[in-house]
């Protein structure tokens, strides 16, 4: 299990366990973490799974693919550390990952 | 007022389910008009994930979403469906026994015996960009769609976005606007390479301004925008004076007018129907596809197709109250095959 911590705009901290091979979005949905809508179910087609990657983790998580960048154009309140959580695969290396959810998704 | 368009059935929404409804209605001799706010058919499949694969259409191990839409269009061609694209249905009114009036935002009116709501997740509407305080300017000097190009003659126009809509309007408005700035958050564009090249040519000729960054705030008065504050990618902040802003941040599905048609909605977003005919609480109005709800409902294309078939059986009795419906297979019925234009030549 890989520990992933979601922090919402109010500062509420929600640590949950993700499965290797699933995505950060799926982990959030499975555990009912609010603030992630994932309207398109992870197809990189809606940008409603937008999260901010904690600065300490940005390098490990890596950059968005060109397809993801295209979808990020539509995300609300974009920052340099913005990613679509459905495009981040859970790996052992991400144990301890911290992501923040935005004020709103669309 | 113009005479309403008279037809058997009006289908609201030209997503995969609305399209297939034409087929099931057509087999039973009912003519249909389709209305959709999008400028193309296919609903979510065409707008949200055209290139993505679908694996769960019975008998089709693999297709792309757009491939499915194209195939559906081909399949319903024999029934000559009439498309009314780029129009939003605003009102549906019962005007008599088995008689409905359907009105669009473009002032078009239909009169039909049956209405089929295939509105999916709702109508596709432009997304509001993440600029605080944009609301008071909307539809006064901030527009999410261009209806009349001439309205922008001589104006200082700021277009925001990097997709096809943003680039198309940049190209179309450049000769009209007094001054035009295209603002996008990064130097890559999603738009077709041809549009990007044409836009870059305009920029290189000094005919438009191109800025990489994001609008952070707006200033103006009484709904009239005066300027946008922009933070560029390299961190500098400056102002762009403008009379109109056109943000193109893609589309999102909003329930829209469906909410005002008098149905008691499930979870404020779905129309409850019976599972014998997928008819709503108003007899003669059906709801099929993603927009409906009943116990066990699955939002799958497969389910919507099934709903369309059962809907057509019941709709028949409203359109042809005096006739008896005989159940037939397309495989063996020559009368169905004739309608499909595939009837075998008569043996002499
Ligand atoms: C990324 C993604 C992947 C998917 N994958 C699958 C899959 O593999 N298999 C599967 O079975 N399903 C899949 N789905 C779901 C499937 O796309 C939907 O079930 C299907 O599109 C529903 O079809 P529909 O015709 O009911 O509605 P929609 O496709 O939502 O179309 C409804 C149309 O109605 C229009 N409309 C609504 N209100 C109005 C109005 N008032 N006036 C005018 N027009 C209006 C809308 O603009 C829209 O075009 C997926 C969905 C997404 C987003
Ligand atoms: S869930 Fe839609 S883009 Fe991630």
């Amino acid at each position: 299990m890989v520990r992933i911590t979601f922090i919402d705009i109010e500062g509420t901290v929600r640590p949950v366990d993700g499965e290797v091979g699933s995505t950060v979005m799926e982990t959030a949905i499975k555990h009912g973490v609010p603030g992630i809508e994932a309207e398109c179910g992870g197809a990189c087609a809606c940008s409603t799974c937008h999260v901010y990657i904690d600065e300490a983790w940005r390098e490990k998580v890596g950059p968005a693919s060109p397809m993801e960048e295209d979808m990020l154009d539509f995300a609300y309140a974009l920052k340099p550390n913005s990613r679509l959580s459905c495009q981040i695969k859970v790996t052992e290396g991400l144990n301890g990952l911290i992501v923040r959810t935005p004020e709103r998704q669309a | 007022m113009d005479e309403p368009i008279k037809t058997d059935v009006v289908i609201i929404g030209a997503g995969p389910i609305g399209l297939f409804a034409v087929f099931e209605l057509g087999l039973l001799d009912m003519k249909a008009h389709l209305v959709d706010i999008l400028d193309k058919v296919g609903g979510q499949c065409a707008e949200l994930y055209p290139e993505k694969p679908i694996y769960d259409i019975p008998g089709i191990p693999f297709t792309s979403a757009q491939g499915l839409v194209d195939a559906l269009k081909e399949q319903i061609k024999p029934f000559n469906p009439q498309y009314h694209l780029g129009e939003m249905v605003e009102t549906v009114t019962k005007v008599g026994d088995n008689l409905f009036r359907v009105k669009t935002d473009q002032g078009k009116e239909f009169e039909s015996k049956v209405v089929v709501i295939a509105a999916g997740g709702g109508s596709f509407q432009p997304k509001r960009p993440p600029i605080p305080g944009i609301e008071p300017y909307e539809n006064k000097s901030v527009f999410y769609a261009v209806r009349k190009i001439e309205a922008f003659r001589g104006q200082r126009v700021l277009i925001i976005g990097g997709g096809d809509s943003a680039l198309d309007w940049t190209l179309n408005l450049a000769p009209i606007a007094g001054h035009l700035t295209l603002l996008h958050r990064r130097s890559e564009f999603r738009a077709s390479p041809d549009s990007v090249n044409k836009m870059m040519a305009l920029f290189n000729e000094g005919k438009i301004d191109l800025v990489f960054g994001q609008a952070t705030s707006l200033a103006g008065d009484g709904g009239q925008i005066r300027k946008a504050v922009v933070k560029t990618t390299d961190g500098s902040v400056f102002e762009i004076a403008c009379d109109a802003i056109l943000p193109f941040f893609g589309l999102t599905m909003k329930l829209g007018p469906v909410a005002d048609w008098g149905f008691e909605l499930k979870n404020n977003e779905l129309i409850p129907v019976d599972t014998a005919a997928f008819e709503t609480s108003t007899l003669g109005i059906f709801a099929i596809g993603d927009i409906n709800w009943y116990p066990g409902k699955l939002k799958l294309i497969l389910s919507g197709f099934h709903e369309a078939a059962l809907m057509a059986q019941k709709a028949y009795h409203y359109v042809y109250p005096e006739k008896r419906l005989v159940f037939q297979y397309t495989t063996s019925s020559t009368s169905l095959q004739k309608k499909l234009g595939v009837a075998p030549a008569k043996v002499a």
Side-chain angles (χ1 to χ4, degrees):
Chain A
M1 283 296 165
V2 178
R3 174 56 49 111
I4 300 173
T5 302
F6 294 86
I7 306 177
D8 70 14
I9 193 85
E10 255 106 53
T12 309
V13 178
R14 294 185 178 85
V16 297
D17 286 327
E19 247 168 75
V20 170
S22 72
T23 67
V24 172
M25 178 279 280
E26 286 166 344
T27 307
I29 297 293
K30 196 173 154 196
H31 290 91
V33 174
I36 291 182
E37 286 169 19
E39 264 171 31
C40 81
C44 198
C46 72
S47 78
T48 62
C49 62
H50 174 205
V51 296
Y52 306 117
I53 308 297
D54 186 83
E55 283 305 325
W57 286 91
R58 270 181 78 182
E59 203 172 314
K60 268 223 175 100
V61 171
S65 70
M67 176 176 79
E68 186 183 335
E69 281 289 348
D70 283 353
M71 266 337 284
L72 275 170
D73 282 349
F74 299 130
Y76 185 87
L78 215 64
K79 293 184 192 169
N81 58 341
S82 287
R83 287 288 312 265
L84 295 178
S85 58
C86 71
Q87 302 301 306
I88 307 171
K89 278 251 180 295
V90 175
T91 59
E92 296 288 358
L94 291 186
N95 193 15
L97 174 68
I98 297 170
V99 303
R100 286 177 178 78
T101 48
E103 182 195 339
R104 56 176 225 229
Q105 284 291 355
Chain B
M1 203 199 317
D2 288 343
E3 273 289 293
I5 298 169
K6 294 200 166 121
T7 180
D8 296 330
V9 183
V10 173
I11 302 173
I12 303 168
I17 310 310
L19 291 175
F20 191 66
V22 171
F23 185 85
E24 291 293 336
L25 291 164
L27 284 182
L28 304 182
D29 295 318
M30 290 175 274
K31 297 247 164 311
H33 284 247
L34 287 147
V35 189
D36 203 300
I37 177 88
L38 288 181
D39 59 5
K40 55 178 175 270
V41 303
Q44 295 174 42
C45 294
E47 180 59 35
L48 292 180
Y49 60 110
E51 313 288 336
K52 302 228 158 70
I54 302 183
Y55 301 101
D56 61 349
I57 305 298
I60 304 174
F62 164 84
T63 178
S64 70
Q66 186 59 48
L68 175 68
V69 172
D70 292 343
L72 283 167
K73 264 174 82 178
E74 185 62 31
Q75 192 171 22
I76 65 178
K77 234 189 218 154
F79 302 113
N80 192 25
Q82 302 295 305
Y83 298 109
H84 305 267
L85 300 178
E87 296 194 41
M88 171 141 83
V89 171
E90 282 190 326
T91 58
V92 177
T93 331
K94 192 174 160 88
V95 291
D97 270 354
N98 298 325
L99 208 59
F100 299 93
R101 286 273 176 130
V102 173
K103 237 191 197 160
T104 76
D105 62 344
Q106 303 296 300
K108 208 177 273 172
E109 240 188 290
F110 300 87
E111 192 177 280
S112 67
K113 298 175 185 132
V114 166
V115 173
V116 174
I117 304 175
S123 59
F124 279 99
Q125 289 174 18
K127 259 194 199 170
R128 175 178 283 157
I131 311 171
I134 194 168
E135 289 87 348
Y137 303 105
E138 286 174 345
N139 299 319
K140 293 192 180 113
S141 54
V142 170
F143 303 96
Y144 298 111
V146 178
R147 290 270 185 222
K148 276 203 207 90
I149 291 191
E150 274 305 315
F152 298 98
R153 184 167 292 279
Q155 293 207 335
R156 295 166 300 174
V157 178
L158 172 61
I159 294 181
I160 315 180
D164 279 307
S165 308
L167 276 269
D168 287 352
W169 285 114
T170 299
L171 300 180
N172 286 327
L173 288 173
I176 305 265
H179 184 261
L180 192 146
T181 308
L182 175 63
L183 172 65
H184 182 42
R185 74 171 180 99
R186 59 200 173 104
S187 54
E188 287 88 43
F189 291 86
R190 283 184 319 284
S192 76
D194 180 54
S195 307
V196 177
N197 290 340
K198 285 187 179 142
M199 181 276 295
M200 285 311 294
L202 285 177
F203 173 63
N204 290 328
E205 290 162 23
K207 293 194 171 135
I208 62 166
D209 276 343
L210 178 59
V211 178
F212 298 119
Q214 290 175 272
T216 53
S217 67
L218 305 173
D221 38 72
Q224 176 56 56
I225 197 84
R226 302 273 172 227
K227 64 186 180 193
V229 178
V230 170
K231 192 172 173 204
T232 62
T233 324
D234 57 29
S236 58
V237 175
F238 65 98
E239 290 174 357
I240 298 177
C242 53
D243 308 306
I245 298 184
L246 306 175
F248 296 105
F249 279 68
L251 301 174
T252 174
M253 290 192 104
K254 290 226 178 80
L255 186 57
V258 178
D260 308 321
W261 297 343
F263 301 110
E264 224 168 272
L265 300 179
K266 171 88 178 171
N267 299 336
N268 289 323
E269 57 180 8
L270 301 168
I271 304 176
V273 291
D274 72 80
T275 47
F278 305 96
E279 198 166 20
T280 68
S281 54
T282 306
L283 298 186
I285 303 185
F286 298 81
I288 57 175
D290 278 13
I291 190 72
N292 75 11
W293 182 86
Y294 50 85
K297 167 73 183 180
L298 281 181
K299 284 191 186 181
L300 283 180
I301 294 167
L302 152 74
S303 319
F305 287 171
H306 162 77
E307 294 159 16
L310 268 64
M311 170 282 291
Q313 296 285 319
K314 179 91 186 264
Y316 185 84
H317 296 289
Y318 293 120
V319 176
Y320 299 110
E322 72 291 354
K323 285 198 201 165
R324 199 170 61 89
L325 182 56
V326 184
F327 179 74
Q328 302 178 86
Y329 290 121
T330 55
T331 305
S332 45
S333 156
T334 42
S335 101
L336 290 187
Q337 289 175 357
K338 216 181 271 164
K339 291 173 201 174
L340 291 167
V342 295
K346 261 211 193 108
V347 184

